[in-house]
Amino acid sequence: MSQETYYLTTPLYYVNAPPHLGHAYTTVLADCLARYQRMRRGRGHVFFLTGTDEHGQKIRQAATEAGKSPQQFADDAVPGFQALWNTLNVSYDDFIRTTEPRHTRGVQAALSQLLNAGDVYKGAYEGWYCTPCETFWPNLTVASDTKPSCPDCRRPVEHLREENYFFRLEKYRAWLIDYIHDPRKAIGPVYPGEWIDQLGFIRPTTRRNEVLEFLKQPLQDLCISRPAARLSWGIPMPSPPFEPGYVTYVWFDALLNYITAIGYPDTGHERWARWPADVHLIGKDILRPHAVYWPIMLHALGLPPPRTIAVHGWWLAGGEKMSKSRGNVVDPNAVIAEYGVDAYRYFLMREVPFGQDGTFSEAAMDKRYTSDLANDLGNLVYRTLTMLEKYFQGVIPDYRYDPATAPAHVKQFIGRLEGYFGREGSQRESALDTYDFHTTLSGLWHIVTLGNQLIDAYQPWVLAKRRQQDVAAEAELQAILGVLADALRALAVRLWPFLPTTSEQMWTQLGCPGTLSEVGWDQAWQPGATSGHRIRKDPPLFPRVNKNNTR
Ligand code: MSP
């Protein structure tokens, strides 16, 4: 796998309301990918960007309601996002705020370049506008007796007529269609290309098809300015070359963060080598800006588009998208307080396949916690360590695995471990390369189940009773517990991107040296790696949840 920097991003979160489960989802998926890529490429070869989207009408309105200036409002909101990401162990490398000078400078440079190149022009806009979505709906048909509402969020839209600046989208539509079909053909040998066959530009395919369908119709040019007299809270359009009195449309501003964070317009700087991004992780509600406006903006600027846009589904509550405006949000902090950080991360990544919608419910969360975490993984770790303590004074036996003499069931278990970890390690891809978080987890849980079955079927406590008189029973006991310890070590390595705290606890309890952030993805299955380690057994990893909010 190439050693160049893997660059991944989350969207920038609007600061008008505190982060909810939907925001935590995109961020946790990105963190899992970042950790996985660090394990594959080495720590210094990943750049994980997140941040906040702070301009526009929506933020200004929220600030006014709170009796604050928009800047003050944003300054007060940002720590809440950072605190949640820290609680969730989100290992971002940079956090960009759209009110930072480094961003403003890059946005203004891009605007000037596009105006000078003729890709931005001045014109009149008349039509409907949705403030919460910050979106124009020029072709909205409205029955005379109904109040018009936004096709996306269904809230009321307002009628506007004003002079603005427009960005030529239609001019690049054919190029974009070509790019989606075959990035190699559309932009030439800029990319090595392997990812194209594996992932394509837009993933999953349903979203790609949705974009291609949308691109069958001519594109309306994008209105990228707002008169400052109507909305002053935005990045001023640089004057000259623009006429005075305009600020930048919030989406045009925010999308550029993916390049301003790595130094744009200073493309000579070393940081710039991170472009193009490997993946922008987004939710399906923001597909169009990312898969249509953004690649066209980059192309018009003479820059290559990102490699992949990976699109996840929505978390629903009561059958509707979870969102502040619908009043159905689940506060991540409340769930974390009850179940713990890793259980929350596990639930988000295990419950729904990437790309599909999911429903959050306390019952579903509880079931995952009790069955997968407490009964399966927690139990396997706890009883293995308990038996190591009891039968081997806490020192992991050297089971000297010899295929000729090893008991058949141990041999079979080892075969499964080699098959699973060996195959994944030696191949370049794993399910995580295609964002199959939930498949990766179910594969690991299969190993957990096999471990528990080995214990149940070959009852080490019965062997322990015979070990004094029976050399074969002693060897079998050593083999079972030795191989279980190595299996737990392998699981700790592979679970680290998903459950970093739990994995580190497993690692330490197995007496392994250092931290998992220094261990490579391919170093998971190493027979004999834990032999001779002194274990440090702690209480169960996932204690029963007591419904009074404590674990
Ligand atoms: N500020 C824009 C993004 C600009 S990126 C240059 C924005 N912000 S957002 O705060 O509304 O949403 C950010 C992310 O959270 C999006 O990926 C969105 O899909 C995700 N989610 C918000 N609610 C969600 C659910 N109910 N379910 C899953 N994810 C959803 O859009």
Side-chain angles (χ1 to χ4, degrees):
M1 183 169 277
S2 115
Q3 286 306 303
E4 54 179 69
T5 300
Y6 185 93
Y7 177 18
L8 79 164
T9 67
T10 72
L12 296 193
Y13 301 101
Y14 285 129
V15 290
N16 62 316
H20 62 64
L21 182 134
H23 307 126
Y25 183 52
T26 322
T27 318
V28 163
L29 293 181
D31 183 60
C32 178
L33 271 187
R35 287 170 183 271
Y36 163 66
Q37 290 292 346
R38 287 190 195 110
M39 280 190 138
R40 302 248 12 191
R41 296 164 188 256
R43 269 208 269 193
H45 297 282
V46 171
F47 184 67
F48 169 14
L49 177 71
T50 188
T52 41
D53 192 349
E54 306 184 3
H55 289 126
Q57 180 92 323
K58 188 151 126 153
I59 313 298
R60 205 210 30 200
Q61 252 169 24
T64 308
E65 281 160 26
K68 295 181 185 176
S69 71
Q71 185 66 62
Q72 190 59 51
F73 182 85
D75 290 349
D76 293 347
V78 167
F81 284 83
Q82 292 173 331
L84 179 62
W85 304 157
N86 289 341
T87 302
L88 283 168
N89 284 316
V90 173
S91 58
Y92 58 82
D93 295 299
D94 197 358
F95 189 102
I96 187 162
R97 300 180 52 183
T98 54
T99 49
E100 284 177 59
R102 61 169 169 165
H103 180 68
T104 305
R105 193 173 142 253
V107 171
Q108 292 182 334
L111 284 165
S112 302
Q113 187 182 330
L114 294 175
L115 185 77
N116 293 335
D119 284 322
V120 165
Y121 63 93
K122 198 163 181 215
Y125 173 81
E126 178 155 14
W128 301 98
Y129 187 68
C130 174
T131 301
C133 297
E134 306 278 9
T135 303
F136 283 106
W137 295 105
N139 298 328
L140 198 65
T141 32
V142 183
S144 55
D145 56 342
T146 51
K147 265 189 151 322
S149 62
C150 171
D152 263 3
C153 74
R154 287 176 268 136
R155 281 169 285 190
V157 287
E158 335 164 33
H159 197 262
L160 283 181
R161 191 196 138 75
E162 60 191 27
E163 294 260 287
N164 268 313
Y165 286 94
F166 291 82
F167 173 51
R168 294 188 199 282
L169 288 181
E170 174 59 15
K171 176 177 166 189
Y172 295 106
R173 182 164 61 101
W175 167 81
L176 182 57
I177 294 171
D178 274 357
Y179 182 74
I180 295 171
H181 281 300
D182 187 353
R184 262 178 292 227
K185 187 173 132 228
I187 54 168
V190 176
Y191 295 140
E194 298 149 15
W195 63 276
I196 296 171
D197 309 319
Q198 197 189 355
L199 295 169
F201 175 50
I202 304 167
R203 210 182 154 81
T205 318
T206 44
R207 300 290 163 219
R208 173 182 186 267
N209 295 342
E210 194 180 310
V211 173
L212 285 171
E213 193 56 39
F214 173 70
L215 289 173
K216 284 186 178 157
Q217 303 298 324
L219 290 172
Q220 298 268 344
D221 288 344
L222 182 68
C223 179
I224 59 161
S225 66
R226 300 290 180 266
R230 174 164 74 81
L231 173 66
S232 58
W233 183 235
I235 295 183
M237 298 187 93
S239 171
F242 290 87
E243 284 176 21
Y246 284 96
V247 300
T248 315
Y249 170 45
V250 62
W251 264 106
F252 191 88
D253 150 359
L255 286 163
L256 285 161
N257 92 87
Y258 301 131
I259 57 174
T260 60
I262 54 167
Y264 183 84
D266 303 333
T267 51
H269 199 281
E270 192 189 325
R271 296 172 294 190
W272 180 255
R274 293 169 186 153
W275 194 257
D278 288 83
V279 63
H280 295 320
L281 272 165
I282 61 163
K284 65 180 183 180
D285 48 330
I286 55 176
L287 177 61
R288 198 171 295 176
H290 281 85
V292 178
Y293 308 162
W294 180 227
I296 292 182
M297 284 163 69
L298 287 161
H299 188 62
L301 288 168
L303 300 172
R307 294 197 164 113
T308 300
I309 312 263
V311 191
H312 66 69
W314 281 343
W315 284 93
L316 313 173
E320 291 217 77
K321 181 189 175 208
M322 192 183 290
S323 71
K324 188 195 173 220
S325 55
R326 293 188 176 94
N328 60 353
V329 297
V330 176
D331 172 11
N333 291 302
V335 185
I336 294 168
E338 190 164 346
Y339 293 95
V341 169
D342 275 2
Y344 187 70
R345 290 176 60 117
Y346 177 78
F347 179 84
L348 292 179
M349 292 187 273
R350 180 74 177 84
E351 188 69 4
V352 282
F354 184 80
Q356 294 181 19
D357 290 349
T359 298
F360 180 86
S361 74
E362 178 89 18
M365 177 77 217
D366 210 76
K367 186 156 175 286
R368 287 281 173 204
Y369 184 89
T370 307
S371 108
D372 301 9
L373 296 173
N375 292 351
D376 293 348
L377 179 63
N379 197 25
L380 178 64
V381 173
Y382 194 71
R383 56 187 186 152
T384 303
L385 293 175
T386 304
M387 290 188 286
L388 283 165
E389 201 168 52
K390 204 159 156 196
Y391 307 140
F392 296 100
Q393 292 75 48
V395 178
I396 299 173
D398 180 356
Y399 57 98
R400 285 177 216 287
Y401 172 63
D402 172 358
T405 55
H409 51 276
V410 172
K411 216 154 58 178
Q412 197 187 18
F413 185 51
I414 290 178
R416 304 294 277 273
L417 294 168
E418 268 166 0
Y420 182 76
F421 294 110
R423 178 174 48 80
E424 284 235 338
S426 57
Q427 273 188 1
R428 200 181 55 78
E429 300 95 18
S430 100
L432 277 180
D433 289 312
T434 47
Y435 317 114
D436 286 327
F437 302 90
H438 120 294
T439 315
T440 309
L441 281 173
S442 58
L444 291 169
W445 250 257
H446 183 58
I447 302 293
V448 171
T449 304
L450 290 177
N452 277 320
Q453 283 171 353
L454 185 74
I455 298 176
D456 296 342
Y458 297 96
Q459 307 187 320
W461 48 93
V462 175
L463 295 169
K465 285 199 185 122
R466 299 205 322 258
R467 67 195 292 202
Q468 300 293 352
Q469 313 82 330
D470 181 347
V471 191
E474 171 68 22
E476 190 175 343
L477 186 65
Q478 291 191 10
I480 291 179
L481 287 169
V483 77
L484 281 170
D486 282 342
L488 288 180
R489 181 186 168 282
L491 284 168
V493 174
R494 291 295 173 85
L495 278 171
W496 186 74
F498 299 89
L499 312 177
T501 310
T502 304
S503 292
E504 292 287 2
Q505 284 168 339
M506 288 167 65
W507 191 252
T508 315
Q509 292 196 38
L510 290 164
C512 296
T515 87
L516 276 165
S517 61
E518 285 146 12
V519 178
W521 183 256
D522 297 346
Q523 293 162 355
W525 172 243
Q526 295 185 342
T530 59
S531 299
H533 287 187
R534 174 162 290 285
I535 61 158
R536 274 172 260 171
K537 189 175 146 239
D538 287 330
L541 291 170
F542 299 98
R544 297 252 163 264
V545 171
N546 159 345
K547 284 283 140 196
N548 297 326
N549 251 5
T550 46
R551 284 188 307 141

